Amino acid sequence: MAADELVIVPHTHWDREWYLPFQQFRLQLVGLLDELLDRMEGDPRQRFTLDGQAVAVDDYLEVRPEQRKRLTALVRAGRLAVGPWQILLDEFLCSGENIVRNLERGLHRAAGLGEAGTMRVGYLPDMFGHCAQMPQILHGAGLAHACVWRGVPARVDAHAFAWVAPDGTAVRTEYLAGGGYGSAAGLFDDPDRVAERAADVAAKLRPWRPDGSPMLAMYGSDHTAPAADLADLLERHNAAVGKSEAGNGGGVRLRLATLAEYFAAQPTTTEGLRPVHGELRSHARANILPGVFSARIGLKQAMARAERTVERYAEPLAALWFDGDARRFLDMAWQRLIEVSCHDSVTGCGCDETAQQVAARMAEAEQLGRAVRDMTARGLAAAVPHTAHLVLNPTPEPRTGLVELDVAGEGPVHLRDAEGRTLPTQRLTAGPTLLADDTVPAERLPLVLARVHGSELYGREITGWRADHARRLLHFTVDRRGERPFDVTDVRRALAGAEGEWRVRIEAEPRQTVAALVPVPALGRTAVRAEPGRAAGPEYAVRATGRGGPCLANGLLTVRVAEDGTVSAQGADGAALTGAGRIVDGGDLGDTYNYAPPAHEEPVDRPAEVHIRQAAEGPLIGAWEVERRCVWPVAGDFTGDARSARTVEVPVTTRVELRAGEPFVRLTVSFDNRADDHRVRLHVPLPRRARVSCAEGQFAVVERGVRAEGGFGEEPVPTFPASASVAAGGAAVLLEHPTEYELVDGGAELALTLLRATGRMSRNRHVWRDEPAGGEFATPQAQCHGWRTVSFGLLPHAGPWHGAGVHRAAELFRHPLLALPGTAPAGARLPGAAEGLRLTGDGVVLSAVREREGGLEVRIVAQTPQPVTAVLSLPGLRAARRTDLLGRPGEESAVEGARLRVALRPWEIATFRLER
């Protein structure tokens, strides 16, 4: 009888940061790799797979740079497998572009160490589910295999299946059966029981591979190293099996390999394999721990802000409009964005120290993005008079958007652009004019003048001054920018001989903040200047009235606020929703991985008091503010499986805002979280009962039902993540960050999580999860105390989501225009508008624009179920070439009249290199 064969892959699953912060885990990593290098150099039989992420190499070599040559030699020999990822990410809590850059960076880093050891396999061992477009992403980077564990549905009954992306791209995918990435963990712990344990492992894996071919056995676990005498143990075992075979006995042969070596022997075709379409989020075979999407929601907000700043402002604007080189700054920003996408980082399922470090890196990424964005904008603002404003459009279509500007004057104003168009404004606030009015003795006047730095006083520039000895008055006028020469020495001379008490008065020129609707070309710029007088109102102006109850209308949408603070909205197509914005607070006795309702749950869905006041009356912005006084239980009662009898008052403010020309209403919810162990959700009753939801995220819009597939050890809670929008039953919700949602009440309502507060990383005893997800220890900062603010857009629509302009609405909601004052002299000519890059095509979404090797790389996605023609227009465009996701050139594309026209299949990701 022929022996079974196990392909033993020694590896470690290395959580870069988790229940310990990064530096403490790194100390362990250094020790592990120090020992591993010694062993592998001393024994050429040894093999090791470094968890599919190149960041472990970088973290090690930063501490041990002298070991680079030794480590590289092992990679080049193919004995140490690294990559393809830079870091093992969470696939739902970062953007699709972040996933591409992660893979790009990881493969590049691994290839720099050695091609032989570069693991060109989509290794995804521990992610909490897998996004729908991952097969297309892997294929687009030249990878023919994926390797997964969590999220695989029950219908998969073999070790390999065909994982099919929404566009039809399929990759051969290995399911880590028999225990995931630890299927052979502990195999060599007891040298006397290797044969017994090998038989047990083979017995678990053989049903998944009935053809008798070698079985993949993952020898490793979290933060572990292989047995020191692994190769000797394996050889002794195989020798014993050989003797048993000679005597017609059985046994299990063992063979050492890297994961790359295992897959090199596997077919790349998907022919004959069971197809599995789209995302992998089943609970049937492993826990997917869905509560990580709502743990520490502040991290999700920070991640989204940082990604948008870098992806959609800094990188495209610098590529199109910056004359210098910003690549190093952008590279540093991407390094941080990729690092925090780790599956134990952005998820928030670690210790408080880890969350603090993750938040700091997110902030750094955003700061780097803002620095590049502002550097680009300042270069353009240098041609705009300081009495005017530069306005930049981050979206690839011409748009008329709202900006808030600080302008001179106190009476009515309008704007004028270089083409002579007059643009209406709406006054929002008036700036203070009296900044100081003090009386000081004459001998202290020199100290007063010490406040002047050059021509700056109180953060503004001095535009005029006078010293009146008769009235003993020193008077300054200041403004945002002054052009008259000023020397403080002249003031000192004028004050010579001053005596007695002097009045020091500092006044600012009148200024006001106005809202304005400004037309700006696609990914382009314009400039506008404020002038006295009113302009005609905009098309689709907002009217805000209180007759018959608080109401907002702009010709596209009519919004009413009910006495209980909820919102009704009706679109021009007749689609309507009622009662949106109800705040529901319920208990959560779970942890950062899984929600757990108390057995004796009594949700609080009605406020104690409601007050409504008008906040803006139009014509560009109309708004009402709803102030609720809510009374919530102060904490969870874990002894009684209920919520505390003690309560705390929590003020909740909802701003209901409608803007001219927008077909959706904006809701901004703010509250001071003073309670523990609870979940706060915003409910949106749907125009019609929904059987499915359609959620945007990672290059696709995914359709999901009202239930999730169960079967393993956790409750299959049908809460799902969405990134930019989620639509169901005739209503689309526009999102500012990845948000957890659920269809509730049989599909009658959509519930969106505003906050989930919990005080434990994991709980040993969890009512909705059989086994612990980690250690049980306190995470007080995961209770998320303090002010929380979340914004949404609500768009009712009559037809299907893809015909309702949901993508465009989400684009406008998430990417506001950027405005800043000019810095040129007041007499400078107002520059005209200029277009950068324009993209057209229904449902075609921009993912990236960046400078690359002297050209312009543009990535677009057809997020639509229908084939579509996309058109890219770029001033001066002379040549275009299709590339793969890594930028490797493909076929040349025809350019006509500075335009590139390309046919896209549904859900296709397409990348182009453009030359001007």
Side-chain angles (χ1 to χ4, degrees):
M1 182 174 62
D4 282 332
E5 183 178 42
L6 293 179
V7 180
I8 305 298
V9 175
H11 76 101
T12 185
H13 176 56
W14 199 266
D15 299 293
R16 189 172 191 250
E17 53 198 353
W18 180 23
Y19 58 82
L20 293 176
F22 163 57
Q23 297 297 355
Q24 287 181 261
F25 267 141
R26 172 150 74 173
L27 191 65
Q28 297 180 27
L29 174 69
V30 170
L32 183 149
L33 289 181
D34 280 347
E35 184 178 349
L36 184 71
L37 292 182
D38 289 342
R39 287 185 198 170
M40 295 188 73
E41 282 186 338
D43 186 349
R45 298 170 297 175
Q46 298 279 5
R47 298 288 189 273
F48 196 74
T49 297
L50 200 50
D51 205 26
Q53 50 182 344
V55 73
V57 173
D58 294 337
D59 291 343
Y60 175 71
L61 292 180
E62 187 175 17
V63 178
R64 295 276 196 265
E66 70 278 5
Q67 302 291 5
R68 181 180 302 274
K69 186 175 181 180
R70 298 175 67 200
L71 187 146
T72 302
L74 292 171
V75 177
R76 289 177 177 172
R79 295 171 54 209
L80 179 62
V82 296
W85 301 101
Q86 179 65 16
I87 204 164
L88 290 181
L89 69 160
D90 182 276
E91 299 173 35
F92 294 95
L93 288 174
C94 64
S95 68
E97 189 62 30
N98 198 332
I99 297 174
V100 172
R101 303 300 178 92
N102 187 345
L103 188 55
E104 173 191 289
R105 186 172 293 232
L107 284 169
H108 177 77
R109 183 73 181 96
L113 294 168
E115 283 288 348
T118 298
M119 190 165 71
R120 300 190 179 278
V121 175
Y123 186 51
L124 303 162
D126 196 31
M127 289 68 171
F128 307 136
H130 305 284
C131 66
Q133 287 280 37
M134 186 57 75
Q136 189 180 174
I137 293 171
L138 297 176
H139 182 270
L143 306 187
H145 293 277
C147 184
V148 301
W149 173 37
R150 302 185 193 271
V152 173
R155 64 183 179 277
V156 170
D157 57 3
H159 75 98
F161 62 93
W163 187 9
V164 186
D167 76 315
T169 300
V171 295
R172 186 180 183 91
T173 303
E174 183 87 13
Y175 168 49
L176 291 173
Y181 58 81
S183 58
L187 176 59
F188 299 98
D189 287 358
D190 186 343
D192 296 329
R193 302 183 64 183
V194 173
E196 175 188 341
R197 293 184 177 182
D200 290 342
V201 172
K204 287 190 302 181
L205 296 178
R206 177 54 63 207
W208 298 91
R209 202 158 196 150
D211 61 357
S213 58
M215 297 168 280
L216 175 62
M218 301 297 290
Y219 171 56
S221 189
D222 296 353
H223 316 118
T224 58
D229 53 350
L230 170 62
D232 291 336
L233 290 171
L234 186 142
E235 284 197 356
R236 285 200 298 270
H237 169 80
N238 284 342
V241 171
K243 292 179 181 179
S244 177
E245 288 178 322
N248 295 320
V252 178
R253 286 192 170 273
L254 308 178
R255 173 164 57 91
L256 283 182
T258 66
L259 200 58
E261 289 173 325
Y262 168 80
F263 278 102
Q266 301 302 307
T268 58
T269 178
T270 59
E271 186 178 350
L273 298 180
R274 180 185 293 273
V276 176
H277 293 265
E279 67 180 6
L280 305 180
R281 289 195 51 80
S282 170
H283 305 252
R285 302 197 179 279
N287 293 339
I288 65 169
L289 311 170
V292 298
F293 300 121
S294 51
R296 303 185 199 261
I297 278 181
L299 288 182
K300 284 64 172 175
Q301 292 178 297
M303 182 68 161
R305 285 196 306 270
E307 285 183 328
R308 282 199 302 272
T309 301
V310 175
E311 291 178 18
R312 296 302 308 277
Y313 288 86
E315 201 168 59
L317 293 176
L320 292 166
W321 298 107
F322 186 53
D323 290 335
D325 187 353
R327 285 175 297 178
R328 183 60 188 135
F329 291 100
L330 291 169
D331 184 68
M332 292 164 64
W334 274 112
Q335 177 183 340
R336 286 154 180 79
L337 285 175
I338 292 168
E339 283 180 356
V340 296
S341 72
C342 186
H343 65 288
D344 291 310
S345 299
V346 65
T347 47
C349 56
C351 65
D352 285 347
E353 289 174 288
T354 291
Q356 291 166 2
Q357 292 179 334
V358 169
R361 288 190 219 113
M362 289 175 177
E364 278 193 53
E366 184 182 4
Q367 291 157 12
L368 285 161
R370 283 205 310 263
V372 172
R373 178 201 69 185
D374 294 347
M375 181 168 58
T376 302
R378 283 195 300 271
L380 297 173
V384 177
H386 71 79
T387 53
H389 283 80
L390 170 74
V391 183
L392 293 167
N393 177 11
T395 57
E397 69 165 300
R399 64 188 276 198
T400 297
L402 188 137
V403 293
E404 293 187 9
L405 306 177
D406 172 44
V407 300
E410 50 190 349
V413 299
H414 63 271
L415 302 183
R416 189 178 297 275
D417 63 14
E419 285 71 40
R421 290 176 292 190
T422 58
L423 311 173
T425 67
Q426 175 183 336
R427 180 171 173 168
L428 301 178
T429 61
T433 55
L434 183 61
L435 304 183
D437 191 357
D438 304 317
T439 300
V440 300
E443 58 268 24
R444 291 185 60 83
L445 287 174
L447 295 178
V448 171
L449 295 182
R451 303 171 188 167
V452 178
H453 302 90
S455 62
E456 179 268 324
L457 177 60
Y458 285 0
R460 311 187 193 196
E461 294 189 10
I462 296 171
T463 58
W465 66 274
R466 62 192 173 98
D468 187 335
H469 282 262
R471 298 171 59 190
R472 293 180 178 173
L473 171 67
L474 176 60
H475 184 270
F476 290 98
T477 57
V478 297
D479 204 351
R480 184 171 56 81
R481 174 79 178 268
E483 292 194 324
R484 295 176 57 184
F486 173 81
D487 191 333
V488 72
T489 303
D490 297 334
V491 184
R492 292 194 181 99
R493 290 194 187 112
L495 291 173
E499 297 179 344
E501 297 285 318
W502 277 66
R503 185 180 182 189
V504 179
R505 189 175 175 88
I506 303 171
E507 289 188 89
E509 301 287 357
R511 301 195 70 84
Q512 56 185 313
T513 301
V514 299
L517 280 177
V518 179
V520 195
L523 269 167
R525 57 174 172 81
T526 192
V528 291
R529 191 196 315 263
E531 298 180 351
R534 298 185 187 278
E539 187 180 12
Y540 301 119
V542 178
R543 292 176 290 107
T545 66
R547 295 188 301 273
C551 179
L552 302 167
N554 67 359
L556 301 172
L557 195 68
T558 300
V559 179
R560 299 186 183 278
V561 183
E563 291 183 356
D564 64 356
T566 60
V567 174
S568 300
Q570 182 169 348
D573 61 1
L577 55 85
T578 303
R582 189 171 85 259
I583 305 297
V584 179
D585 176 69
D588 186 350
L589 303 186
D591 51 33
T592 61
Y593 289 97
N594 295 77
Y595 161 76
H600 310 292
E601 172 70 304
E602 295 181 6
V604 180
D605 62 356
R606 288 182 174 81
E609 292 180 6
V610 179
H611 299 282
I612 303 172
R613 68 176 187 86
Q614 192 174 55
E617 60 182 15
L620 304 184
I621 301 175
W624 294 87
E625 284 197 350
V626 178
E627 296 178 352
R628 296 176 171 103
R629 182 173 65 86
C630 298
V631 180
W632 295 342
V634 73
D637 179 0
F638 289 87
T639 60
D641 198 14
R643 301 185 74 186
S644 169
R646 292 191 302 115
T647 59
V648 62
E649 288 192 0
V650 178
V652 180
T653 300
T654 302
R655 179 180 171 93
V656 183
E657 179 180 309
L658 186 63
R659 297 182 177 182
E662 289 188 347
F664 54 88
V665 59
R666 297 168 180 260
L667 301 183
T668 300
V669 182
S670 300
F671 60 96
D672 181 7
N673 180 39
R674 305 170 182 174
D676 289 347
D677 313 316
H678 66 131
R679 182 177 67 176
V680 184
R681 302 208 286 188
L682 179 140
H683 282 239
V684 179
L686 301 176
R688 54 185 181 271
R689 191 175 294 273
R691 292 181 296 175
V692 298
S693 62
C694 298
E696 190 280 342
Q698 297 78 39
F699 299 143
V701 176
V702 179
E703 184 175 285
R704 302 174 177 128
V706 295
R707 289 183 295 274
E709 183 181 52
F712 193 69
E714 69 183 345
E715 184 73 16
V717 183
T719 55
F720 301 110
S723 292
S725 65
V726 56
V733 183
L734 316 177
L735 307 172
E736 64 172 7
H737 64 270
T739 299
E740 174 191 271
Y741 75 90
E742 182 180 358
L743 282 174
V744 297
D745 192 17
E749 291 192 354
L750 192 66
L752 300 113
T753 302
L754 304 180
L755 172 80
R756 197 170 70 83
T758 181
R760 290 287 186 274
M761 188 189 91
S762 175
R763 293 190 184 276
N764 294 335
R765 297 180 62 81
H766 192 295
V767 297
W768 276 6
R769 188 186 66 236
D770 288 344
E771 62 183 41
E776 181 174 274
F777 57 84
T779 53
Q781 291 178 20
Q783 296 286 10
C784 302
H785 292 161
W787 280 98
R788 302 286 139 190
T789 300
V790 185
S791 294
F792 301 96
L794 294 182
L795 172 67
H797 58 87
W801 68 267
H802 47 84
V806 174
H807 285 317
R808 183 175 186 274
E811 175 80 9
L812 302 182
F813 177 73
R814 292 162 60 85
H815 304 105
L817 299 179
L818 174 66
L820 69 160
T823 57
R829 182 179 61 86
L830 197 66
E835 184 167 272
L837 176 79
R838 183 187 295 202
L839 171 64
T840 61
D842 290 341
V844 182
V845 176
L846 181 70
S847 179
V849 179
R850 62 168 164 170
E851 189 278 328
R852 190 168 190 179
E853 299 173 359
L856 202 65
E857 184 177 88
V858 179
R859 189 161 16 258
I860 59 177
V861 188
Q863 292 202 18
T864 169
Q866 305 296 329
V868 63
T869 297
V871 179
L872 282 165
S873 304
L874 178 70
L877 177 63
R878 65 177 182 85
R881 185 177 293 275
R882 188 79 176 254
T883 75
D884 69 4
L885 283 184
L886 302 181
R888 295 175 296 203
E891 62 184 17
E892 191 169 350
S893 302
V895 173
E896 296 181 4
R899 292 184 179 181
L900 170 65
R901 184 182 299 271
V902 57
L904 299 175
R905 63 183 181 271
W907 313 111
E908 182 178 2
I909 305 167
T911 308
F912 300 91
R913 179 185 172 87
L914 309 182
E915 294 185 10
R916 292 182 283 185

